[in-house]
């Protein structure tokens, strides 16, 4: 009899779990659609897109479109190359970038008789575009700079494994594809044709290419909330957990545990810590956590756990109370061996009260969780 009761209870709990998972999310009509990689995502209001901006003008000093750093998120990849978008810039900025690149090429030509010669294979430019390629002992590299709709778009690809002639042909093909199929687009403009979306840009193509496109967006109505969505080819992803054949749950645990430093603490919430989630038509898992952050202060005592500095020592040092925020991650692990494109998909909704105007959260726990669940449900392949 006890066994029957246990089985019945298990079935009852399973049916409730299934019912909760099966409940469809309704996407509010006033939400805005944006595209990332080969997918579309809906957003709760106006957002600010993360683009390259180490310096307001990338032509000052070294044009930092070549560097990985930017205010929000690292560079993304397409066709085995790096792609980046600048902030809005005057045309004079693009002219200065072209001048700087021309000086680099002149330097390459002067060093042709050195121990590490660089041979310029192609070098063309006009008012709003510039592209060149070169060969060295490290392989073949090609770069493209475009100035469209007030922004500089950058594409860099290289090949260091194929024989020289094949490497040159591959790089040339990638450059040509980007030049012929790229166009600028406005924020919330989701193209109807097939292709790849990058911040404020679009590359038309007939089938998904190898890529890792992550776009981070900050909500204007909630400046303490940032949303990251990444579409990544399964073949590019290495295990976050460094565990062979790691499960999605193991990967999710590593997301939070790997970031646990400097006194920041994470605590998973909910009856089910890693519930299943449908994202982009694929099955994955998610987790919602409470984030306790130490007070950011120039005083060393304020940024460490109580085991290093006691509460009394922190109080004496004038440390303010810790802040409490919330974060959400949904993750789909792709299959690199699948016949069809089955990517890794990552959705990251993170709150940090320090980014709010008065240092206080602009959105509560339940509302943030509902928002994150709705965003995840909105993601679909274009």
């Amino acid at each position: 009899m006890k066994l029957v009761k246990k089985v019945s209870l298990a079935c009852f709990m399973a049916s409730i779990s299934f019912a909760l998972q099966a409940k469809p999310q309704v996407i509010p009509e006033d939400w805005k659609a944006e595209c990332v990689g080969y997918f579309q995502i809906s957003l709760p209001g106006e957002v600010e897109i993360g683009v390259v901006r180490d310096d307001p003008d990338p032509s000052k000093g070294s044009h930092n479109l070549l560097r990985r750093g930017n205010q929000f998120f690292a560079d993304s990849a397409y066709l085995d190359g790096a792609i980046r978008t600048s902030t809005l810039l005057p045309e004079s900025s693009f002219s200065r970038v072209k001048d700087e690149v021309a000086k680099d090429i002149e330097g390459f030509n002067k060093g042709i008789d050195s121990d590490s010669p660089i041979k310029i294979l192609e070098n063309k430019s006009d008012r709003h575009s510039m592209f060149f390629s070169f060969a060295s002992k490290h392989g073949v590299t090609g770069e493209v700079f475009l100035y469209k709709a007030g922004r500089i778009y950058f594409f860099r690809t290289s090949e260091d494994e194929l024989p020289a002639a094949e490497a040159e042909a591959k790089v040339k093909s990638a450059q040509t594809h980007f030049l012929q199929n790229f166009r600028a687009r406005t924020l919330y403009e989701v193209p109807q044709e097939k292709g790849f979306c990058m911040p404020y840009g679009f590359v038309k193509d007939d089938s998904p290419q190898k890529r890792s496109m992550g776009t981070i967006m900050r909500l204007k109505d909630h400046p303490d909330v940032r949303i990251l969505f990444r579409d990544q080819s399964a073949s590019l992803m290495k295990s976050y957990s460094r565990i062979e054949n790691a499960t999605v749950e193991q990967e999710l645990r590593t997301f939070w545990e790997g970031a646990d430093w400097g006194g920041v603490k994470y605590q998973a919430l909910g009856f089910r810590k890693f519930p299943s989630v449908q994202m982009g038509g694929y099955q994955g898992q998610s987790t919602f956590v409470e984030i306790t952050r130490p007070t950011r202060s120039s005083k060393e005592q304020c940024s460490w756990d109580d085991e290093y500095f006691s509460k009394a020592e922190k109080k004496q040092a004038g440390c303010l109370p810790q802040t409490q925020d919330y974060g959400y991650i949904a993750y789909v692990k792709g299959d690199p061996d699948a016949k069809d494109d089955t990517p890794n998909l990552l959705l990251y909704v993170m709150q940090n009260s320090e980014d709010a105007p008065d240092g206080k959260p602009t959105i509560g726990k339940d509302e943030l969780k509902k928002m994150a669940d709705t965003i995840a449900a909105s993601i679909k392949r274009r």
Side-chain angles (χ1 to χ4, degrees):
M1 186 66 180
K2 290 183 178 179
L3 178 60
V4 173
K5 288 183 178 180
K6 289 182 178 179
V7 172
S8 299
L9 179 60
C11 292
F12 175 69
M13 294 301 293
S15 64
I16 291 179
S17 175
F18 176 79
L20 289 173
Q21 294 178 40
K23 184 178 179 181
Q25 290 282 350
V26 178
I27 312 302
E29 293 183 0
D30 60 345
W31 279 31
K32 298 182 177 296
E34 172 62 350
C35 59
V36 178
Y38 293 98
F39 288 79
Q40 177 177 319
I41 182 173
S42 294
L43 304 163
E46 297 284 343
V47 297
E48 179 185 6
I49 296 290
V51 293
V52 174
R53 56 172 74 192
D54 272 348
D55 188 290
D57 187 340
S59 67
K60 293 179 180 177
S62 174
H63 51 86
N64 63 18
L65 287 170
L66 291 173
R67 301 206 304 268
R68 293 190 177 190
N70 65 59
Q71 182 171 337
F72 289 145
F73 190 58
D75 60 320
S76 294
Y78 175 68
L79 281 178
D80 290 328
I83 52 172
R84 301 185 184 102
T85 305
S86 80
T87 54
L88 287 170
L89 295 169
E91 188 173 342
S92 59
S93 294
F94 185 64
S95 297
R96 292 200 298 273
V97 170
K98 287 196 298 181
D99 291 342
E100 185 181 337
V101 172
K103 291 179 181 178
D104 291 341
I105 292 175
E106 183 180 354
F108 293 159
N109 286 327
K110 288 182 178 179
I112 195 168
D113 296 324
S114 67
D115 294 334
S116 300
I118 294 177
K119 178 184 178 183
I120 302 300
L121 302 173
E122 188 173 27
N123 178 24
K124 296 182 179 180
S125 67
D126 58 27
R127 181 177 175 182
H128 291 147
S129 70
M130 171 179 56
F131 63 96
F132 65 94
S133 59
F134 60 88
S136 70
K137 67 178 183 180
H138 301 296
V140 178
T141 298
E143 296 184 1
V144 176
F145 292 84
L146 300 175
Y147 183 72
K148 293 181 179 290
R151 298 180 187 275
I152 301 174
Y153 298 89
F154 171 71
F155 173 64
R156 177 190 176 104
T157 185
S158 60
E159 175 55 54
D160 58 6
E161 295 182 355
L162 294 174
E166 294 180 36
E168 184 177 342
K170 182 179 178 181
V171 168
K172 175 64 175 177
S173 176
Q175 283 184 299
T176 301
H177 174 82
F178 190 82
L179 284 164
Q180 292 181 348
N181 294 285
F182 174 85
R183 66 175 173 84
R185 66 180 182 89
T186 60
L187 186 59
Y188 315 125
E189 177 192 348
V190 180
Q192 296 301 308
E193 65 265 49
K194 292 182 179 180
F196 172 85
C197 287
M198 58 187 285
Y200 299 101
F202 175 74
V203 185
K204 183 179 178 180
D205 60 40
D206 295 328
S207 60
Q209 306 294 324
K210 185 181 291 187
R211 78 283 184 185
S212 179
M213 183 67 244
T215 299
I216 196 161
M217 300 154 274
R218 181 164 58 192
L219 295 176
K220 291 188 176 181
D221 289 342
H222 301 286
D224 53 329
V225 177
R226 292 184 181 182
I227 300 164
L228 164 68
F229 177 61
R230 188 186 66 199
D231 167 23
Q232 181 184 66
S233 297
S235 60
L236 293 179
M237 181 61 199
K238 293 183 179 180
S239 173
Y240 286 99
S241 61
R242 298 183 180 179
I243 300 172
E244 187 175 357
N245 298 320
T247 64
V248 173
E249 182 175 326
Q250 287 173 319
E251 300 283 35
L252 286 172
R253 288 184 183 277
T254 304
F255 276 121
W256 298 117
E257 293 169 1
D260 188 3
W261 59 274
V264 179
K265 298 179 180 179
Y266 302 93
Q267 177 63 50
L269 302 175
F271 176 72
R272 300 176 66 229
K273 305 301 182 186
F274 301 94
S276 61
V277 63
Q278 281 284 333
M279 190 162 60
Y282 302 95
Q283 185 78 15
Q285 288 178 269
S286 65
T287 180
F288 186 65
V289 301
E290 180 181 270
I291 306 167
T292 303
R293 305 180 191 276
T295 301
R296 298 304 177 195
S297 170
S298 59
K299 297 179 180 179
E300 184 179 11
Q301 299 94 319
C302 301
S303 298
W304 293 92
D305 292 340
D306 293 342
E307 62 184 285
Y308 299 105
F309 295 98
S310 67
K311 288 183 173 63
E313 290 175 311
K314 291 181 180 180
K315 183 176 181 180
Q316 185 177 6
C319 301
L320 298 173
Q322 295 177 322
T323 59
Q324 186 169 292
D325 295 313
Y326 299 92
Y328 173 97
I329 282 182
Y331 182 56
V332 170
K333 190 173 183 178
D335 180 2
D337 299 319
K339 182 178 179 181
D340 297 324
D341 181 59
T342 55
N344 302 305
L345 300 179
L346 171 67
L347 174 65
Y348 179 107
V349 182
M350 179 67 72
Q351 181 183 46
N352 189 343
S353 299
E354 293 178 0
D355 293 332
D358 57 359
K360 296 180 181 179
T362 65
I363 185 172
K365 176 182 71 174
D366 294 339
E367 188 179 355
L368 184 72
K369 175 64 165 60
K370 182 179 179 181
M371 174 196 293
D373 284 335
T374 306
I375 294 172
S378 76
I379 295 170
K380 59 183 179 182
R381 190 182 283 271
R382 291 192 312 104

